[in-house]
Amino acid sequence: MRTADAIVAAAAVAIGDRGRFLLVLSGGTTPENAYSLLSQGKRAAAIDWSKVFVFFGDERMVPASDARSNLGMAQRTLLGRIAIPPGQVFPLRTEGRSAAGAAAEYDAELLRFFAADPRHASPGFDLILLGMGEDGHTASLFPHAAALDAQDAWATWSPPGVLPPPVDRVTLTYPAINSARQVLFVVAGEKKAPALRDILEGRANRAIRPAAGVQPIDGTLTWLIDRDAGRLLRACAGIASDPAGVPPLGGFPAKAGTPARNFHKP
Ligand code: 6PG
């Protein structure tokens, strides 16, 4: 299943069951194509955007106009192209704030949002999209960072990790991420293969590979990966590349070591 189709499917279930869809967008470059696909044609038409609420998994402490901004990327590829009520987009505001101040503000905003509605256990995001860096970080939860241990907040701040951009960050915490109904990792590229193997084959803990700490309490966890990212996985051994040479994406359920054989194009 393509990432964009997984989002359409999750929206249909959430809106059908609970009357609205609480979506957390990932930053980075990997989801850009999916956001663009989601903003077009039958996929865009398949979602009642008046019932969608958009949040962010993390943000870089740069202005929204900066090319490194996750909000900026989401606006360019999705939010600026669909009819979502502006009051239902909850960006991580960065301008004129410290990272700690921005984190406290977002934490309070999430608290207000979920406290205001008994339909959702707090916080009950319907779908959280996550990427993963080649060091195994996710959102802005970096290896050995203090943010990994934040248990009494849903958003916190972090100094830069080892990968670019070298700016402070604000990120959702494990408690916020692991209370989601569905978490969908989207991971592409061979540089990420060692970290992915470590995580999916249970070789590393969250201090070393923070994405390993994403284990939804009651929700589902799926990894959509391309063949390059999966090249070191036992489960991918012997699967030849697609004749067209396009590295497809495949789905992996939560439990490490559980193979999946069905790969599809992104
Ligand atoms: C961020 C992201 C981060 C991202 C990974 C992968 O703000 O940087 O939220 O966690 O998902 O770094 O980034 P790419 O998709 O660009 O490889």
Side-chain angles (χ1 to χ4, degrees):
M1 175 176 279
R2 298 178 104 148
T3 308
D5 297 322
I7 299 171
V8 170
V13 170
I15 292 172
D17 292 356
R18 289 175 294 280
R20 62 185 189 174
F21 179 45
L22 308 184
L23 171 64
V24 177
L25 297 180
S26 170
T29 55
T30 306
E32 290 188 26
N33 181 46
Y35 296 166
S36 176
L37 288 173
L38 199 55
S39 74
Q40 303 167 44
K42 65 179 180 15
R43 292 186 182 91
I47 297 181
D48 178 352
W49 294 101
S50 72
K51 295 193 171 65
V52 178
F53 296 75
V54 170
F55 303 84
F56 287 78
D58 71 326
E59 186 59 277
R60 296 98 176 254
M61 289 303 293
V62 295
S65 57
D66 188 297
R68 299 165 296 173
S69 164
N70 289 338
L71 172 61
M73 181 273 281
Q75 279 172 337
R76 279 193 309 278
T77 57
L78 175 63
L79 301 174
R81 302 179 181 183
I82 53 170
I84 187 168
Q88 292 175 200
V89 176
F90 298 83
L92 270 155
R93 294 183 185 80
T94 57
E95 272 101 335
R97 299 158 172 87
S98 67
E105 193 179 305
Y106 206 56
D107 189 51
E109 188 164 25
L110 293 175
L111 196 62
R112 270 195 310 278
F113 181 88
F114 285 106
D117 190 292
R119 279 180 294 185
H120 292 283
S122 302
F125 297 113
D126 293 299
L127 176 63
I128 297 186
L129 288 178
L130 290 173
M132 186 195 76
E134 57 196 84
D135 60 352
H137 82 260
T138 190
S140 285
L141 296 169
F142 299 117
H144 307 293
L148 303 181
D149 302 319
Q151 288 300 318
D152 56 4
W154 294 331
T156 190
W157 80 280
S158 179
V162 294
L163 298 172
V167 295
D168 284 350
R169 310 293 189 92
V170 180
T171 183
L172 292 185
T173 59
Y174 284 131
I177 293 171
N178 287 332
S179 64
R181 286 186 172 81
Q182 186 182 355
V183 175
L184 182 62
F185 272 102
V186 183
V187 180
E190 64 176 344
K191 286 186 179 161
K192 299 180 181 181
L196 192 62
R197 177 205 49 210
D198 290 351
I199 293 161
L200 286 182
E201 296 183 358
R203 300 179 184 211
N205 63 29
R206 70 181 202 176
I208 299 164
R209 305 290 196 193
V214 176
Q215 291 289 345
I217 299 156
D218 292 327
T220 65
L221 172 62
T222 302
W223 293 77
L224 282 184
I225 65 171
D226 73 357
R227 192 158 280 127
D228 290 340
R231 68 185 170 81
L232 297 177
L233 293 174
R234 282 195 299 270
C236 293
I239 298 178
S241 66
D242 181 281
V246 176
L249 282 179
F252 279 82
K255 294 288 163 275
T258 312
R261 292 281 175 207
N262 52 346
F263 287 81
H264 301 274
K265 290 195 174 47

